[in-house]
Amino acid sequence: MSSSDAGLEEGPELSITLTLRMLMHGKEVGSIIGKKGETVKRIREQDLCAAPANGGSVSRPPVTLRLVIPASQCGSLIGKAGTKIKEIRETTGAQVQVAGDLLPNSTERAVTVSGVPDAIILCVRQICAVILESPPKGATIPYHPSLSLGTVLLSANQ
């Protein structure tokens, strides 16, 4: 168990799947897939959890991710008077912004995370921890950029 996993107990009975959705332009998707799928294959083969968090002295360009989060979970991500999002910003070094408006025809909001890759990894881990602790309330209507109406997804307790 690494120090970043402290406090998490895993056993054969524990199986959690967390799906993260991101908004991307077509050209961004192409760069992730790579020619003949080479880039995505390389990413799959790497153990991202074993990557060093500080990145050493290697200079890396900033990255921006746009996550799609159910609006009912955004309050937990922001925290009372913005305390949680401020803590995430300070501990990871990433910039995090939660959109005030819902994405069209949905009950979801965009969460923009930007910074150097190592800060992004830490930040997304913390966001995942928050959304795992506070499941969505009620039905979630997912955002579909090309559709006029979304499909209704029910939370685990419905």
Side-chain angles (χ1 to χ4, degrees):
M1 181 184 299
S2 71
S3 61
S4 65
D5 294 332
L8 297 178
E9 295 190 26
E10 292 188 35
E13 71 282 349
L14 181 63
S15 177
I16 298 173
T17 301
L18 179 62
T19 301
L20 290 178
R21 296 175 59 225
M22 293 185 284
L23 296 175
M24 304 181 94
H25 294 287
K27 62 183 177 181
E28 294 170 323
V29 174
S31 66
I32 290 173
I33 295 170
K35 192 176 237 180
K36 296 184 181 178
E38 292 172 3
T39 306
V40 76
K41 181 180 177 187
R42 188 178 70 245
I43 291 170
R44 286 180 178 149
E45 291 171 353
Q46 291 177 350
D47 182 10
L48 294 177
C49 296
N54 62 8
S57 62
V58 177
S59 175
R60 296 183 177 182
V63 175
T64 298
L65 293 179
R66 289 175 302 278
L67 302 174
V68 180
I69 308 281
S72 63
Q73 291 177 297
C74 289
S76 298
L77 181 59
I78 295 168
K80 189 171 187 171
T83 55
K84 189 64 180 178
I85 199 166
K86 182 179 178 187
E87 174 191 325
I88 292 171
R89 288 175 182 143
E90 290 174 353
T91 59
T92 66
Q95 296 298 315
V96 186
Q97 294 179 330
V98 178
D101 296 330
L102 296 175
L103 290 164
N105 302 311
S106 77
T107 58
E108 296 182 309
R109 290 194 201 174
V111 175
T112 304
V113 181
S114 57
V116 296
D118 293 328
I120 297 289
I121 291 168
L122 292 173
C123 185
V124 170
R125 280 186 171 178
Q126 288 194 23
I127 290 172
C128 289
V130 170
I131 62 177
L132 280 172
E133 291 172 6
S134 60
K137 297 170 185 75
T140 298
I141 301 171
Y143 171 63
H144 294 284
S146 62
L147 300 177
S148 59
L149 294 174
T151 310
V152 175
L153 295 179
L154 300 178
S155 63
N157 60 355
Q158 292 183 326

